[in-house]
Amino acid sequence: MLIAFTGTNNAIKTTMINALKEKKDPKIYSFYENSISASDATLSQELSSNKIIIRNQNIDGHHININRNTKNNFTFSINSDFKEAIRVIGKPNLTFFFENHPQNDVVKTQSSTNADLKKAFLKVSHNFYKNKAKLDKPILVVADSLSSDDLYNQVDSTLKKYEKGLVIIDHKRANALVSLVRDEFLNDPFFIQVQKNLIENQIPKSIVRGSLEHARFLFFIASNDHGLKSKSMYDKAKALYQVHPEYFDAKYISKQSAAFVKEQIADKISTRYPNVFSKNWIENARKIVREFDGEPLNIFKNTTNALELLQIVKSFSGYGPKIGGMVVRAAYSLKFNDKLKDMQNVPVPVDVHDSQILFRSGILYTANPKNIQHPRYIKTAQQEILDACNRQHLDWTIVDKALWLIGSTGTYSKFIGSKLSV
């Protein structure tokens, strides 16, 4: 977020900036002068991190052209280099315009004094910023008639509105996190033991991993993987499959009633909303019969584009962004379609565990860190994990599995904790 402080660089504006530097959280605020170029890597990174950038737009003597006319009078104008430096940085989200009341900007050489030159300089700089601020709406005018405390309170009350709900992202720590947990997942024996809890490893004993029957079981049962204890639900579902594999056959289920599904499936595997679950189970079966020749495996083979596959999966009842993403991740890991590509464009199916980990590790930060509502930041965590994996050229499906297992087993201190250093 870019906030401009415009107007001549008088004592009022200088005092305000110094007070903000002293009182504001440096994790949230950064301060820049005009000399910082729009291409400056640090400024660009901080803007992408959602920090509040206070940019002091200040004209000094280097930015002024002095022009003499035929009557030997001098006028001042802003040079083009300064205007370009202001323009390319981008339009501020908010501009504070600090008022002053300069006089005439025309100075005659015969009667010029330092006071006259200063007034002329202030006049042209004031007019430049006044006109620019009008173009940079929204704009707030800071009146120089107020006391220093009142001025600060006026500015601070506005800034606090921007701070509320703002989440700062430390991209460098995010890069370190995804690399760390990826390496832990691939090299620590602990993850071999707990990988059995992943959705792609929930396989009834009677079927072969990656088979047509596996695709049936995974697709149907995945929609019930929320709001309950996953292990208990999967154990019951696998036991049910052993006795009644036809319950996971779209062609068979499409001919049954919702009451049948509720009694024979929903009530036996434990569902949070059995009536909704039963209705979805039948609707999805009929859609699979109608559009995919009765086989979930054909859903996964329908496209080689992972993002397109996600949209297809989400078109089924009960498969939102998280469950849909889990199914696509599982299909990719199980090679239901070994030509599936472009996984780097698929949103990571994160949950509240990921949000908690990112805050705990200092990757996400808010102005009120003692009262964080982690579910509110799931989408932010989702995007940053994906972006960090893409920046590091890592397979996010491995990082996602590692983070889920760390969060669900309560092993943050063991695998991240002091190991995360930047």
Side-chain angles (χ1 to χ4, degrees):
M1 177 175 295
L2 184 62
I3 296 180
F5 277 32
T6 64
T8 54
N9 206 33
N10 54 25
I12 295 173
K13 189 170 67 162
T14 302
T15 300
M16 179 69 65
I17 291 174
N18 289 337
L20 290 171
K21 287 181 179 178
E22 180 181 345
K23 297 179 181 180
K24 289 299 185 180
D25 188 339
K27 291 183 179 179
I28 296 178
Y29 284 84
S30 288
F31 297 83
Y32 287 87
E33 300 290 334
N34 276 328
S35 58
I36 300 296
S37 167
S39 62
D40 182 87
T42 303
L43 176 58
S44 299
Q45 183 176 4
E46 290 190 326
L47 283 171
S48 72
S49 300
N50 295 341
K51 292 191 75 171
I52 297 177
I53 309 298
I54 303 293
R55 190 163 190 267
N56 179 23
Q57 297 179 337
N58 173 39
I59 298 176
D60 60 28
H62 298 293
H63 305 134
I64 297 292
N65 294 324
I66 302 177
N67 306 300
R68 183 172 64 182
N69 60 23
T70 55
K71 295 182 180 180
N72 210 30
N73 291 337
F74 289 82
T75 58
F76 294 88
S77 63
I78 310 299
N79 67 41
S80 58
D81 290 340
F82 180 79
K83 290 181 180 180
E84 179 65 10
I86 290 289
R87 184 190 67 79
V88 295
I89 196 65
K91 185 176 179 180
N93 300 90
L94 174 68
T95 295
F96 287 101
F97 176 64
F98 290 77
E99 280 189 323
N100 59 36
H101 302 284
Q103 303 300 317
N104 195 347
D105 64 339
V106 178
V107 182
K108 294 182 179 179
T109 49
Q110 293 85 348
S111 59
S112 295
T113 64
N114 288 336
D116 292 328
L117 290 169
K118 184 176 181 180
K119 287 179 181 179
F121 172 83
L122 291 176
K123 176 73 175 181
V124 70
S125 61
H126 176 271
N127 287 344
F128 172 79
Y129 279 127
K130 186 175 182 180
N131 292 331
K132 182 181 185 304
K134 289 178 181 178
L135 300 175
D136 286 344
K137 293 181 179 179
I139 174 176
L140 291 177
V141 176
V142 181
D144 59 4
S145 58
L146 297 175
S147 67
S148 296
D149 288 342
D150 288 341
L151 282 170
Y152 182 85
N153 291 335
Q154 177 184 340
V155 173
D156 184 49
S157 63
T158 301
L159 293 176
K160 283 180 177 177
K161 295 177 183 177
Y162 284 86
E163 293 172 13
K164 187 176 181 181
L166 185 68
V167 58
I168 309 302
I169 307 171
D170 189 330
H171 299 308
K172 187 179 292 186
R173 287 186 73 81
N175 292 348
L177 175 72
V178 297
S179 296
L180 172 65
V181 299
R182 182 255 188 194
D183 292 344
E184 298 281 11
F185 181 85
L186 295 178
N187 298 304
D188 196 293
F190 170 82
F191 289 100
I192 297 177
Q193 302 170 22
V194 297
Q195 280 190 55
K196 61 185 179 181
N197 297 325
L198 296 170
I199 185 174
E200 42 267 75
N201 295 326
Q202 301 297 330
I203 310 172
K205 294 179 180 179
S206 59
I207 64 178
V208 177
R209 180 183 179 86
S211 64
L212 179 145
E213 291 78 14
H214 188 187
R216 290 180 179 181
F217 179 81
L218 182 142
F219 186 84
F220 272 104
I221 204 61
S223 66
N224 198 42
D225 190 1
H226 57 82
L228 41 77
K229 292 184 177 180
S230 297
K231 184 180 184 305
S232 175
M233 185 274 291
Y234 280 120
D235 287 345
K236 292 176 181 178
K238 286 184 284 188
L240 181 63
Y241 185 93
Q242 294 298 118
V243 180
H244 293 288
E246 69 274 17
Y247 291 174
F248 299 82
D249 183 337
K251 293 178 181 178
Y252 176 83
I253 289 297
S254 64
K255 300 174 183 178
Q256 309 305 318
S257 66
F260 174 88
V261 173
K262 181 180 181 302
E263 180 182 349
Q264 299 299 322
I265 303 176
D267 292 344
K268 292 182 178 180
I269 66 173
S270 299
T271 62
R272 194 171 186 181
Y273 305 106
N275 291 327
V276 174
F277 171 90
S278 303
K279 179 174 177 289
N280 290 347
W281 195 281
I282 289 179
E283 285 183 356
N284 289 336
R286 291 172 180 169
K287 182 179 171 105
I288 292 171
V289 170
R290 187 171 61 250
E291 299 179 19
F292 299 96
D293 198 26
E295 291 297 343
L297 187 61
N298 292 335
I299 298 172
F300 304 126
K301 293 183 177 294
N302 186 261
T303 178
T304 59
N305 184 282
L307 187 58
E308 186 176 335
L309 175 58
L310 175 62
Q311 300 310 315
I312 293 172
V313 172
K314 286 168 60 179
S315 71
F316 286 84
S317 300
Y319 295 81
K322 178 188 171 184
I323 299 299
M326 285 172 55
V327 170
V328 172
R329 186 197 75 196
Y332 175 76
S333 299
L334 293 164
K335 298 188 183 301
F336 283 148
N337 182 347
D338 58 9
K339 296 181 180 179
L340 196 63
K341 59 184 180 180
D342 297 323
M343 285 294 289
Q344 71 273 13
N345 297 320
V346 176
V348 181
V350 305
D351 60 16
V352 71
H353 290 308
D354 298 273
S355 176
Q356 291 169 338
I357 287 173
L358 263 60
F359 273 102
R360 188 173 179 181
S361 58
I363 293 168
L364 300 184
Y365 180 81
T366 69
N368 187 16
K370 294 182 179 180
N371 187 29
I372 299 171
Q373 303 298 315
H374 292 101
R376 290 181 54 189
Y377 300 99
I378 287 177
K379 287 187 176 181
T380 304
Q382 177 186 58
Q383 189 62 53
E384 184 56 22
I385 291 170
L386 178 63
D387 289 346
C389 288
N390 289 340
R391 289 193 297 265
Q392 299 297 101
H393 306 290
L394 299 179
D395 182 348
W396 69 255
T397 66
I398 296 176
V399 173
D400 177 47
K401 287 184 280 191
L403 288 172
W404 186 84
L405 290 170
I406 290 170
S408 62
T409 57
T411 51
Y412 174 91
S413 297
K414 178 179 180 180
F415 293 108
I416 301 175
S418 60
K419 292 184 178 181
L420 182 64
S421 59
V422 179

